[in-house]
Amino acid sequence: MRRRQLIEIHEQAWCPAAVREGATDCLQLIAVIGRQFRGAVDPLRRALAHADVPRIVDLGAGAGGPWRTLYPALQEATERPIRLVLTDLYPNVSALQAVCAQAPESISFVAGAVDATNVPVELSGVRTLFTSFHHFAPATAQAILQDAVDARQPIALFEQTHRSLAAMLFMVVLAPIAFLAVPLIRPFRWSRLFWTYLIPAIPFVLLFDGIVSCWRTYTAAELREMTAGMHEAYEWEVGRVRTALSPLGMSYLIGYPNEGGEGRKKEGDSVAMSGGGR
Ligand SMILES: C[S@@+](CC[C@H](N)C(=O)[O-])C[C@H]1O[C@@H](n2cnc3c(N)ncnc32)[C@H](O)[C@@H]1O
């Protein structure tokens, strides 16, 4: 199946915010109940072992993604304290503040825009992208990897979707779960019930965007091809781990600098971090 750079409804400006947030709230609940991101802990530990500083810089963090549950799990699995900095091109400040409140001494966010293709050099540490790499067209995806290599910082990408007919069929099963999940989401919002039971836009967006996400997801072979020219300076690992509720598992790419590689990229502008630890 060829990759297609199709559009997802929740990315469109015309998508009502209540529908967009309702769909992402459902995904977040399913991910938390299924402990979907537990499998990210070991690849992240391997990447952290090659970082100059014990810090994770999450790119395209959205509303915080998996970090509410992943951060405590990662911290428990590592011997030294890990700092986490949440960033986005369009930071959702109130949502990121809420994640930082969980561990204000260790988690912070950048209130200004951080472009994953040009990360300021001050933000050193392991760069992560959760369920977002498939959104980027090949040239931008490649630029994200190249920027990490130029800065000689480790990078780790995680995807829950998979480009196959079986994965698309799984989305057909997953989307109706919204009808069960919506009343359980907190804080409670009437708008979620409206957009699920009266006008079932939230289940429809989960179905449509789920299928499109599968179609856009890079295969392991494509990820290997993207990194093929970057082997001299970097070690790359493409893999897949099992997850509790999804037969698709979670695929990942991690890359980190070889010992004794070239120097790092030029100094950039300083970045102000908010909300806790640095
Ligand atoms: C799928 S969403 C968020 C995924 C989030 N990591 C999660 O797990 O819920 C993708 C995010 O990428 C951000 N984004 C888009 N282009 C970007 C870029 N060039 N650099 C950094 N973030 C970007 C968007 O603002 C959006 O918040």
Side-chain angles (χ1 to χ4, degrees), residues 10 58-62 65-66 88-90 114-116 130-132 135-136:
H10 83 274
D58 192 43
L59 306 172
D88 201 287
L89 191 57
Y90 310 106
V114 173
D115 185 346
F130 281 89
T131 56
S132 55
H135 288 258
F136 299 106

Side-chain angles (χ1 to χ4, degrees), residues 126 131 142 148 166 178 238:
V126 177
T131 56
Q142 182 90 46
V238 179

Side-chain angles (χ1 to χ4, degrees), residues 208-224:
F208 184 91
D209 286 2
I211 291 174
V212 169
S213 295
C214 290
W215 223 320
R216 290 165 119 188
T217 305
Y218 292 98
T219 61
E222 286 165 344
L223 292 175
R224 284 194 193 99

Side-chain angles (χ1 to χ4, degrees), residues 193-211:
L193 302 193
F194 177 85
W195 288 112
T196 301
Y197 301 111
L198 288 180
I199 301 177
I202 291 176
F204 179 76
V205 168
L206 285 174
L207 174 65
F208 184 91
D209 286 2
I211 291 174

Side-chain angles (χ1 to χ4, degrees), residues 27-104:
L27 289 177
Q28 193 125 346
L29 182 73
I30 293 167
V32 169
I33 290 174
R35 296 156 68 105
Q36 295 294 81
F37 289 98
R38 276 307 291 215
V41 169
D42 281 344
L44 282 176
R45 284 176 58 197
R46 289 201 288 285
L48 275 163
H50 295 270
D52 309 334
V53 287
R55 180 160 64 185
I56 297 221
V57 178
D58 192 43
L59 306 172
W67 288 110
R68 273 176 198 276
T69 47
L70 179 57
Y71 179 75
L74 180 65
Q75 191 56 91
E76 198 184 304
T78 46
E79 277 148 27
R80 51 183 184 166
I82 307 295
R83 305 274 185 196
L84 168 64
V85 184
L86 303 165
T87 74
D88 201 287
L89 191 57
Y90 310 106
N92 179 343
V93 170
S94 56
L96 296 180
Q97 274 169 338
V99 182
C100 291
Q102 188 182 329

Side-chain angles (χ1 to χ4, degrees), residues 59-60 87-89 113-120 127-129 136 140-141 143-148 155:
L59 306 172
T87 74
D88 201 287
L89 191 57
V114 173
D115 185 346
T117 64
N118 187 19
V119 177
R127 299 177 182 189
T128 52
L129 286 111
F136 299 106
T140 312
I144 290 171
L145 298 177
Q146 189 64 56
D147 192 68
I155 185 161

